[in-house]
Amino acid sequence: MSQVIVANPSYRELEELADLLAVEKRLLLANTDDDDFITVCTQEPIELALVIDASSSIHPRDFQLGQQFLHEFLNQYDIGPGRNQVRVAAVTFGYEVYVNDAFYLNSFKTKEEVLNAVQNMPFRAGLRTDTGDAIKFMREKQMVKTRAWAPKFAVVLTDGNSQRTEYTKQQAALARAENITMFALGVGKAVKEQELLNIAGDPSRVLRADSYSELDEEKRKELTKQTCVSKPKPTTTTTTTTTTTPPPPMEEPCSIKYPSDINFIFSPAALGVDATGWVTQFISHTITNEELENSFQYGVVSGDCPDDEGFRLNQYTDIPSIRARLDRYDRNNLPNLIRSASNKFSASNGGRTDAVKVAVIFLGNAKVDSKYLDSSIQELLASGVQVFVSRTDPGIRVNLPPSVRLLEEGSSISQATELVSHICHLDDKVRKPYTLSRLES
C-alpha cells in the first residue's frame, strides 16, 4: 500500500484520497513509475472481451475452473454501462463460434449479470479449435460501438492450437490493428508458444499455466496488472492551484442522432407459440438497449386477420366453399402483413417525417409463397423503409432482395444487438434516413 501525505486537505482531496486507498486495497497492485509515465492500477474504463476455448480437449471440470478464474478476474472491476465503468463481452468457440452463447458489451447493465453470464456459459466440447473465427467474431460483432475514451482489451483463454494457425494469426493481427490489445492465456503443454504469440503479438502479453487448476490468484493478478493504463505523470507546481483537464465530451446517444420508427412484422399464427416467444424476446432486448432509450418509436404489425377466425354453422352451404375457407388456414399471412406495413409509418399511425423507417421481418418454418414474399418486401423497400430479416430458426432457407439485411444466426439477444449496431453505425455527417449501402460500407 502506498503512503500518501496531504497537507491541509480540502474535502474534495479527502474524497479522492479515500477512493484511491480503497482501490489500492482491493486490487493489491503497486503502481510503477517509468520516467514520464506512471502505470496506475486504479479503476479505468475499458472495453473487455473474453474469447474462451470450449473444445473437446478440455475436461468439463477444467472448463468450469476456467470460468471460475474469469469470474474472479472480472469481479475486481466496476462493471456497468456508466461512462467510467468497465464493459464486458464474451464468446466461446470449438467446432465453430458459439454465437448463441455469446453476450456483448451492452448486453447487461450490472456486474452480477455479467458474472452470472460467464459462469453459466455452456461447455460445447467442440471437435475443432476455431480460434481465428472466434477472434474475428469478437472484433466484428462484439467490439463495435465502443467508447472512444476507453481502451480495448481481449483475453483469449485456450488449451490448444487452432486448425488454421495462419488464419488465427491474421485475425489477431486485424484485431490489434483496430487498437484491441490482445492477451493469450495458454493452459497446458499442448498449446504452442508460437500460437499464443500469434494471438498476443508480443511476448509480454502471453501468459501460461500448466493446468486449469493452476489458474490461481497469481495468474489473475498478473493478467490484471497487464490491463493497467499508462498515463502521463501529472505536472507538479509550487502553487496551490491545479489545472483540471475537462473530460472528453459525452458521445451523443444513437437515439438522438438517428431517431427511428421501427415496426416489427410477424405472424403469430404462422410462427407458433415457441417462435412467437422468441420474437417477443428479440423485441424486448431491442427496446431495452441503452442506445435506444430516447427518440425511438416501436410498433408491431401482426395482423388481426378474419382468415384466422372460424365460421358460423350456417355460413357455408356447400363443400367447395368450406374447403376454400379451410385453405386459408394453411396460408402464411406474412406477405400480406408486409404489404400493409408501409402504411404503418404514416403520420396517422404515429410516424415521423424526420425519422428513419425500419422494418424487422421475422421468418419461421411455416411455408410461404416465396414470390409473393419477395414482391411484398420490394414494395416495402420502394416506400423508403430499411428492411431487416430475422430467422427464428437458423435452418430456415430464404432468398431475399440484395438490399435487405439478413441478421446473423444466433440467439434473440445477439440478433437484437446486431440490429442496434447496424442502426447506430451510420455516417455522422448524414442527418437523414440512411441507405443500406452506407450500412455495408
Side-chain angles (χ1 to χ4, degrees):
M1 189 76 67
S2 61
Q3 184 179 9
V4 182
I5 300 175
V6 181
N8 299 319
S10 66
Y11 180 75
R12 176 61 179 166
E13 288 172 327
L14 287 173
E15 278 190 325
E16 293 177 349
L17 176 60
D19 290 342
L20 174 61
L21 293 176
V23 170
E24 283 194 338
K25 181 178 180 181
R26 181 163 61 87
L27 292 181
L28 297 176
L29 289 170
N31 292 346
T32 57
D33 198 338
D34 181 18
D35 296 331
D36 295 330
F37 291 85
I38 184 168
T39 301
V40 286
C41 295
T42 57
Q43 192 63 67
E44 296 292 338
I46 63 174
E47 311 285 37
L48 177 62
L50 306 176
V51 183
I52 308 165
D53 190 346
S55 59
S56 58
S57 59
I58 303 171
H59 191 277
R61 175 58 183 161
D62 285 339
F63 184 78
Q64 293 175 357
L65 289 174
Q67 287 175 302
Q68 184 61 35
F69 170 80
L70 294 173
H71 182 283
E72 293 171 359
F73 168 64
L74 293 175
N75 197 38
Q76 302 171 101
Y77 295 105
D78 178 22
I79 296 172
R83 178 180 180 81
N84 293 315
Q85 290 184 296
V86 173
R87 300 197 304 173
V88 180
V91 63
T92 55
F93 65 93
Y95 182 77
E96 59 185 7
V97 181
Y98 301 117
V99 295
N100 289 357
D101 303 330
F103 63 87
Y104 301 78
L105 294 175
N106 58 0
S107 292
F108 303 111
K109 297 186 181 298
T110 67
K111 176 192 283 190
E112 183 179 7
E113 289 176 320
V114 170
L115 295 180
N116 287 339
V118 170
Q119 200 70 43
N120 293 323
M121 296 185 90
F123 177 53
R124 300 296 184 186
L127 298 179
R128 287 172 54 90
T129 307
D130 287 335
T131 315
D133 287 336
I135 294 173
K136 180 181 180 181
F137 178 85
M138 175 274 296
R139 176 176 61 87
E140 293 184 346
K141 303 298 182 182
Q142 293 180 305
M143 280 296 189
V144 293
K145 198 61 179 178
T146 53
R147 298 166 296 179
W149 61 90
K152 296 180 288 187
F153 297 93
V155 178
V156 179
L157 175 60
T158 182
D159 82 325
N161 306 299
S162 53
Q163 270 69 32
R164 297 181 293 167
T165 55
E166 282 301 312
Y167 180 72
T168 297
K169 182 179 180 180
Q170 292 168 6
Q171 290 303 320
L174 288 173
R176 296 194 302 271
E178 294 185 12
N179 296 318
I180 302 173
T181 303
M182 300 291 295
F183 294 90
L185 178 49
V187 182
K189 297 179 180 180
V191 58
K192 296 178 181 179
E193 190 73 15
Q194 188 61 50
E195 172 86 0
L196 301 176
L197 184 57
N198 287 346
I199 294 170
D202 190 295
S204 67
R205 296 195 296 271
V206 172
L207 294 83
R208 299 201 70 133
D210 289 338
S211 66
Y212 277 90
S213 61
E214 294 193 17
L215 289 174
D216 53 15
E217 184 177 355
E218 289 303 315
K219 287 289 186 293
R220 176 177 59 78
K221 285 183 179 180
E222 188 177 355
L223 183 58
T224 303
K225 192 171 183 178
Q226 290 271 30
T227 60
C228 295
V229 180
S230 293
K231 292 186 172 183
K233 283 184 181 178
T235 55
T236 56
T237 63
T238 57
T239 65
T240 57
T241 60
T242 58
T243 301
T244 303
T245 302
M250 291 291 287
E251 186 175 1
E252 192 175 31
C254 166
S255 58
I256 301 299
K257 289 198 291 185
Y258 305 107
S260 300
D261 293 340
I262 305 178
N263 271 306
F264 302 98
I265 308 172
F266 60 97
S267 171
L271 290 176
V273 175
D274 290 342
T276 298
W278 190 96
V279 169
T280 58
Q281 288 180 352
F282 177 108
I283 296 173
S284 295
H285 292 315
T286 303
I287 65 178
T288 56
N289 190 292
E290 63 180 0
E291 294 284 355
L292 311 184
E293 289 180 351
N294 303 295
S295 301
F296 271 56
Q297 292 189 148
Y298 307 98
V300 168
V301 182
S302 60
D304 184 15
C305 183
D307 287 347
D308 294 336
E309 299 176 352
F311 50 87
R312 302 184 308 275
L313 290 170
N314 61 350
Q315 186 166 346
Y316 301 109
T317 59
D318 60 277
I319 291 176
S321 298
I322 295 176
R323 283 181 172 173
R325 182 58 183 269
L326 292 176
D327 287 342
R328 299 181 190 177
Y329 294 126
D330 292 332
R331 189 179 306 154
N332 191 333
N333 193 45
L334 182 61
N336 288 330
L337 295 175
I338 296 170
R339 283 182 181 272
S340 70
S342 59
N343 184 55
K344 303 299 181 180
F345 293 96
S346 65
S348 61
N349 285 305
R352 299 166 295 175
T353 56
D354 63 338
V356 177
K357 296 186 288 185
V358 177
V360 184
I361 301 170
F362 296 92
L363 296 180
N365 282 305
K367 61 182 180 180
V368 62
D369 186 327
S370 58
K371 291 184 178 180
Y372 191 26
L373 176 67
D374 182 84
S375 63
S376 299
I377 294 176
Q378 293 284 12
E379 285 189 14
L380 194 57
L381 291 167
S383 66
V385 177
Q386 304 301 314
V387 178
F388 294 84
V389 169
S390 168
R391 294 174 292 178
T392 61
D393 184 325
I396 298 171
R397 294 184 178 182
V398 60
N399 294 319
L400 298 169
S403 54
V404 172
R405 169 73 68 174
L406 179 64
L407 299 176
E408 295 289 339
E409 299 173 7
S411 64
S412 58
I413 189 171
S414 66
Q415 289 197 32
T417 303
E418 183 184 357
L419 171 69
V420 174
S421 175
H422 285 314
I423 293 174
C424 293
H425 275 70
L426 307 176
D427 186 346
D428 290 340
K429 297 179 181 179
V430 181
R431 290 291 291 123
K432 62 181 180 180
Y434 58 86
T435 62
L436 202 65
S437 60
R438 205 176 321 128
L439 264 178
E440 294 174 332
S441 61

